[in-house]
Amino acid sequence: RMLEHDVLPILGEHKAHAIDRSDINALLEKIIARGAPIQANRTLAVTRKMYNWAIEQDLVQSNPCSHVRAPGVEKSRERVLSTTELQVFLARLPDAAMSQVMKLALATILITAQRPSEVRRARWEEFDLISGWWTIPSDTVKNTLSHRVWLSDLAREVLAVARWTNPDREHVFPSRQEDKPMTKSALPQAVARNRDWFGMPAFKPHDLRRTAGSNITSLGHNRLVLGKILNHKEIGVTSVYDRYSYDAEKRTAADHWAKVLGEFGES
């Protein structure tokens, strides 16, 4: 979409090998001029990736995006729901003005601490509710690393309701119209529509994942285990040699977090 919307209208008539750094900078300046500096960053990233692929395929010899700095200043999101906000969220979610599927998806993000994109695209074939593990395939995960997620009793309760709600669908959280996952915008829009109902400062679905992660470490579980739960890609020589799964530690932390969430829901 970014290539079609921003790159092709400006550079589409150029030969790929003839595009240079000045052309890329001019492209980014046009995007910035319309007030979209972060979109300029994303366009630079996807164009750089496209050229890197072209170099691997021996289609071009250089990448005009090299040494071009991302023009937009990005701020790290830091929204974490407080204990009081979590209690309010859990108390009001059942009566929020959104579909049951969306409520279950939001609860799953909070309980499992997984990415909204991975939750909304989840298929039943990925789940083994007997052993208690959800295996997210590598082609779904952001960092392309297959990931095992422990399903606490609370998570399995939510999934049981999801199965009962849509018993014959391939996706756990399907869209309304056909057997496809809900769209990327569905959950953020649902949360935004219910901001007054929740009665707290604005938050997004991804903030539920961050909230879960922050609480897991506050419960005494170390950041290495949290990284395994969140499936963050490790950098460094040690990670290459450490093939331990950390399944036991992930299970302990996930069950602990689910227990706390259950107590929040009762208070």
Side-chain angles (χ1 to χ4, degrees), residues 205-263:
H206 192 88
D207 297 329
L208 298 176
R209 167 175 156 91
R210 185 181 299 104
T211 298
S214 296
N215 276 274
I216 287 170
T217 53
S218 74
L219 293 173
H221 304 280
N222 67 53
R223 296 187 69 183
L224 175 59
V225 173
L226 175 62
K228 297 297 182 181
I229 292 172
L230 299 176
N231 197 26
H232 284 165
K233 193 170 186 177
E234 294 181 67
I235 300 175
V237 175
T238 303
S239 64
V240 175
Y241 290 92
D242 183 4
R243 294 307 185 198
Y244 178 59
S245 68
Y246 291 86
D247 280 355
E249 291 83 353
K250 290 193 293 186
R251 177 173 179 167
T252 298
D255 283 342
H256 194 176
W257 171 231
K259 180 176 182 293
V260 171
L261 277 176
E263 293 170 351

Side-chain angles (χ1 to χ4, degrees), residues 159-207:
L159 290 169
V161 177
R163 175 64 94 179
W164 179 83
T165 303
N166 295 287
D168 301 318
R169 306 294 284 273
E170 175 186 358
H171 292 89
V172 181
F173 308 107
S175 64
R176 291 181 177 179
Q177 299 174 343
E178 51 188 314
D179 199 9
K180 292 183 178 180
M182 66 176 68
T183 63
K184 182 179 180 180
S185 62
L187 289 178
Q189 290 176 354
V191 170
R193 286 196 304 270
N194 284 271
R195 179 176 178 181
D196 291 342
W197 171 247
F198 288 121
M200 65 180 75
F203 67 93
K204 296 183 178 181
H206 192 88
D207 297 329

Side-chain angles (χ1 to χ4, degrees), residues 1-266:
R1 186 191 63 80
M2 286 187 284
L3 291 173
E4 291 178 351
H5 185 264
D6 287 316
V7 179
L8 290 179
I10 297 174
L11 301 178
E13 298 300 321
H14 294 63
K15 296 291 186 181
H17 65 81
I19 295 173
D20 58 25
R21 195 171 297 125
S22 64
D23 295 317
I24 299 298
N25 283 322
L27 166 67
L28 299 178
E29 287 170 5
K30 287 183 178 295
I31 300 173
I32 293 170
R34 70 168 191 257
I38 304 304
Q39 184 64 25
N41 291 358
R42 301 291 180 270
T43 302
L44 173 63
V46 75
T47 306
R48 178 184 286 120
K49 188 171 184 178
M50 178 183 69
Y51 266 95
N52 285 338
W53 174 84
I55 291 173
E56 293 174 359
Q57 301 299 314
D58 199 27
L59 299 175
V60 297
Q61 300 304 310
S62 62
N63 191 333
C65 299
S66 63
H67 304 293
V68 176
R69 183 177 299 176
V73 177
E74 301 200 31
K75 297 181 180 179
S76 175
R77 289 185 56 83
E78 299 178 351
R79 179 80 167 97
V80 173
L81 275 64
S82 68
T83 298
T84 299
E85 288 176 330
L86 266 178
Q87 292 171 335
V88 171
F89 173 76
L90 292 170
R92 297 193 174 187
L93 181 61
D95 296 317
M98 63 180 76
S99 70
Q100 177 77 339
V101 170
M102 292 182 181
K103 296 172 187 176
L104 296 170
L106 291 172
T108 301
I109 294 169
L110 180 62
I111 296 167
T112 64
Q114 299 311 298
R115 296 180 178 90
S117 61
E118 293 158 6
V119 170
R120 70 178 180 83
R121 290 184 292 177
R123 291 179 166 86
W124 284 114
E125 65 186 25
E126 301 168 9
F127 293 82
D128 185 341
L129 298 181
I130 297 176
S131 69
W133 290 99
W134 169 22
T135 304
I136 308 178
S138 58
D139 59 353
T140 299
V141 182
K142 181 179 179 181
N143 63 8
T144 69
L145 296 176
S146 178
H147 180 40
R148 277 164 58 86
V149 180
W150 172 250
L151 300 170
S152 62
D153 288 344
L154 183 59
R156 279 184 258 188
E157 288 175 14
V158 171
L159 290 169
V161 177
R163 175 64 94 179
W164 179 83
T165 303
N166 295 287
D168 301 318
R169 306 294 284 273
E170 175 186 358
H171 292 89
V172 181
F173 308 107
S175 64
R176 291 181 177 179
Q177 299 174 343
E178 51 188 314
D179 199 9
K180 292 183 178 180
M182 66 176 68
T183 63
K184 182 179 180 180
S185 62
L187 289 178
Q189 290 176 354
V191 170
R193 286 196 304 270
N194 284 271
R195 179 176 178 181
D196 291 342
W197 171 247
F198 288 121
M200 65 180 75
F203 67 93
K204 296 183 178 181
H206 192 88
D207 297 329
L208 298 176
R209 167 175 156 91
R210 185 181 299 104
T211 298
S214 296
N215 276 274
I216 287 170
T217 53
S218 74
L219 293 173
H221 304 280
N222 67 53
R223 296 187 69 183
L224 175 59
V225 173
L226 175 62
K228 297 297 182 181
I229 292 172
L230 299 176
N231 197 26
H232 284 165
K233 193 170 186 177
E234 294 181 67
I235 300 175
V237 175
T238 303
S239 64
V240 175
Y241 290 92
D242 183 4
R243 294 307 185 198
Y244 178 59
S245 68
Y246 291 86
D247 280 355
E249 291 83 353
K250 290 193 293 186
R251 177 173 179 167
T252 298
D255 283 342
H256 194 176
W257 171 231
K259 180 176 182 293
V260 171
L261 277 176
E263 293 170 351
F264 284 163
E266 294 171 359

